Amino acid sequence: MKKYEPDVIRNIGLFSHGGDGKTSIVEAMLFLAGENNRLGRVDDGSSLMDYEPEEIERKTTISASFACFEWAKNKINLLDTPGDDNFIADAKLCMKVLEGAIIVVSAVDGVKVGTEKVWEYTNEFGIPSAIFVNKMDRERADFERAVDDVKKSFPDKSILVVQLPMGKEENFKGVIDLLAMKAYVFKNDGSGSFETIDIPQEFAATASAYREKLVETAVEMNDEVMERYLDGQEITEEEVEKCLKEGVWARKITPVLCGAATWNVGIQPLLDSVVKYMPPPTYKAEVEGIDPRNGNKITRKMSASEPFSAYIFKTITDPFAGKLTLFKVYSGEIHPDMTVLNTANDEKERIGQIFWLVGKKQKSAGFASAGDIAVVAKLKAAGTGGTLCDEKNPIKYEEVKLAPPLISFSLHPKAKGDEDKLNMSLARLIEEDKTIRYSRDEQTREFILSGMGQVHIEVIVEKMKRKFNVEVELKEPKVPYKETIKGTTKVQGKYKKQSGGKGQYGDTWLELSPLPRGAGFEFVDKVVGGAIPRQYIPAVEKGIVEAMVQGILAGYPVIDFRATLYDGSYHDVDSSEMAFKIAASMGFKKGMEQCKPTLLEPIMKMEVIVPDENMGDIMGDLNSRRGKIIGVETKGRNQVVKASVPMAEILKYAPDLRSMTGGRGTFTMEFSHYEEVPGQIAEKIIEAAKREKEAEK
């Protein structure tokens, strides 16, 4: 098999808001590289990259897909990533293994929310970027407006135009290369063929002005070239290109190109620019990890001669093909039949066939070397975020931190006996999607599925049905309310039963009193003088513990109280552990009625990050949800609102926040504490619980 040296590899990802044309660009690239004999299209379901049924139906990328091909004697590893907010975490996972990002911006709509998020990811991972203004053929396309929007949205970089469009909308016919000062006129047949001509007179003045700006910015990257430029000496095209490359690699320049992917216009120049300006894996000479044996930081050179190490950035599960593990080799080489260490769980893995992907099509690789991205099938326990490495030279690379899930639903299997299949199918899906959370609520006894949005949850449910034949119904999860007491009382719990033979007798005197919020349950034994034999005391506590699972108001568990056993009596023959357990539960229930029982609700601690202009709306909305604003602080161009809000009020906060902020708002939340439910709301909850109980009878 062919070995690719790291300096001829380009690991590139396409990123943007959903619907800006990333997949169409990749399809055009694959067509030009000969990986497809026709131009795949998202709209008619013929795309190589969007091959999952859920993607074909929705006409959008849901999961990142991988393709590789040769271009100009270089190997291009390409990741096509989702831009929809429900699935954008996959884009962040891909950033970890790339050296270049193409940020796609629509010439019609400009910079959208998802584009802003992926731009932040490029800054977080320090990835050189280029902008591709797509859809120049569409109605209302405007290149200059789109570029202005990019500059306004991303003021932290020098946004530099290196190509100009010739015309727009239905008159868009090609691009002008400002470095070569040539025009490329494309055939209107999707072939990607073009004719190189001199710049037409109508575009000459604009091209000259942009060319001057390009040279001025580029020479700033090299002191020696800049001095000559300022002295009035001529700077060659090769020198400008070299300066541009230095600027891109240093993340000081973000070049802007343009085209129309669905008609394969401008895609070949984009590919040529990827090879020219985007760095190979070796531009970062070494990568940092930790030694799993002692936690110390260590580094590995990006070299085939180093001990093997690789980072797993994606897992694909399929009921027929099994589990596919996508990884980037950081050092050394990986071959079939090697045994490697999975440092995530300290287990050994046997490597099988190694291959590359073009969408779902597999291409045999034979092996993979430093800097390359490849795939291996049927690893036992390795998962996304894990590190594979040489057993004798272990290293562990840092996992990508993802935002926590934002919305939850309870799952109800449609077929009886499907609970086991439900657990198995979700475990498999969680292997390929790190943003899914799945648990069983012990109080409500519901299966809870959490994800990044309602569409995300719906797609998970569709995949369960398609891949594992498990159908479920989605419902809003029950709020885990609790009950407690506000008063103190002393009460007798007595159980006496006589039925021809040995009877039952247990007599307890309890004092019930409230505890501070969060204190839980406390049992105190104050029996003296043998009023109750010692062997029956644990049964009294057990009787209370079992009874407090269902309070008297609405059947919710009772918390934050103390039960003190201070007196009682027994019968030499009839007393038993069972009798004292029943007596204690009777006393507890009777005592609760006398202790001002009240309902408690879970309160969540929230951090809502929103643009300045949305601050008023967000704070007003949180107040309307019975929230308490704790504080506000500035974070870059955004405001962080900290609040505590009842869980019942924010079960579907994610779509509401998205609507209020145009998708620019994000939030995190975690359980904080329990608080008393206001009277009128408590009455409704209690009434609803009674109706539900009656319906179950």
Side-chain angles (χ1 to χ4, degrees), residues 14-17 20-22 25 102-106 115 130 132 134:
L14 275 85
F15 303 91
S16 78
H17 192 93
D20 283 349
K22 298 180 296 297
I25 294 170
I102 299 169
I103 309 294
V104 182
V105 174
S106 166
T115 319
F132 186 78
N134 192 27

Side-chain angles (χ1 to χ4, degrees), residues 22 48 153 156 183 357-358 384 392 408 413 419 444 461 478 490 506 548 550 602 614 628:
K22 298 180 296 297
L48 286 179
S153 301
D156 54 330
L357 291 174
V358 176
T384 303
K392 296 175 183 175
S408 299
E419 286 188 9
T444 63
V461 170
K478 294 176 182 176
K490 292 183 177 181
M548 62 189 263
Q550 284 195 322
N614 297 121
K628 295 174 185 173

Side-chain angles (χ1 to χ4, degrees), residues 504-645:
Q504 294 285 352
Y505 183 90
D507 180 22
T508 62
W509 279 93
L510 301 169
E511 180 179 5
L512 303 181
S513 55
L515 288 176
R517 200 66 60 239
F521 166 63
E522 185 180 322
F523 178 75
V524 179
D525 172 18
K526 282 192 176 181
V527 173
V528 293
I532 300 175
R534 305 313 303 166
Q535 70 264 30
Y536 298 140
I537 303 296
V540 174
E541 181 177 2
K542 190 175 181 182
I544 297 170
V545 168
E546 289 183 4
M548 62 189 263
V549 170
Q550 284 195 322
I552 64 166
L553 289 176
Y556 294 110
V558 185
I559 60 170
D560 299 342
F561 73 98
R562 177 188 291 121
T564 303
L565 176 64
Y566 65 92
D567 202 359
S569 62
Y570 71 101
H571 189 278
D572 285 334
V573 177
D574 291 348
S575 285
S576 66
E577 287 187 6
M578 178 62 73
F580 273 99
K581 191 169 86 167
I582 294 171
S585 68
M586 290 169 63
F588 166 72
K589 290 175 182 176
K590 184 166 45 168
M592 256 205 89
E593 294 175 358
Q594 303 168 13
C595 285
K596 300 178 185 173
T598 189
L599 207 60
L600 298 175
E601 64 181 342
I603 304 296
M604 309 302 286
K605 183 170 69 176
M606 298 184 71
E607 283 195 4
V608 188
I609 304 173
V610 294
D612 290 340
E613 61 266 26
N614 297 121
M615 266 283 290
D617 291 340
I618 296 305
M619 292 179 76
D621 178 70
L622 289 174
N623 284 325
S624 72
R625 296 172 188 264
R626 300 189 285 123
K628 295 174 185 173
I629 307 298
I630 298 169
V632 179
E633 60 183 51
T634 302
K635 184 179 181 181
R637 292 183 290 165
N638 294 323
Q639 297 292 328
V640 182
V641 181
K642 298 182 178 181
S644 57
V645 191

Side-chain angles (χ1 to χ4, degrees), residues 19 108 160 198 204 312 319 323 332 360 444-445 467 512 538 671 688:
V108 178
L160 186 63
D198 291 331
I312 300 169
K323 184 168 76 171
K360 66 177 178 180
T444 63
R445 298 182 180 178
K467 290 186 173 185
L512 303 181
F671 171 74

Side-chain angles (χ1 to χ4, degrees), residues 44-87:
D44 63 11
S46 63
S47 163
L48 286 179
M49 303 302 279
D50 284 354
Y51 57 84
E52 292 274 14
E54 293 80 16
E55 294 177 313
I56 294 170
E57 181 186 341
R58 286 177 166 80
K59 295 181 171 54
T60 189
T61 302
I62 285 172
S63 178
S65 49
F66 173 45
C68 64
F69 53 88
E70 282 197 15
W71 187 262
K73 298 181 180 179
N74 285 259
K75 179 172 186 264
I76 310 291
N77 290 322
L78 209 57
L79 290 170
D80 178 24
T81 68
D84 187 293
D85 218 34
N86 286 271
F87 312 104

Side-chain angles (χ1 to χ4, degrees), residues 395-414:
I395 189 170
K396 187 175 184 179
Y397 295 116
E398 184 181 5
E399 286 192 50
V400 176
K401 292 180 176 64
L402 299 176
L406 301 176
I407 194 168
S408 299
F409 287 87
S410 65
L411 297 181
H412 301 265
K414 289 186 177 180

Side-chain angles (χ1 to χ4, degrees), residues 211 218 275 355 396 420 442 578 692:
R211 159 78 181 194
V275 172
F355 50 92
K396 187 175 184 179
D420 288 341
E442 291 303 319
M578 178 62 73
E692 187 176 335

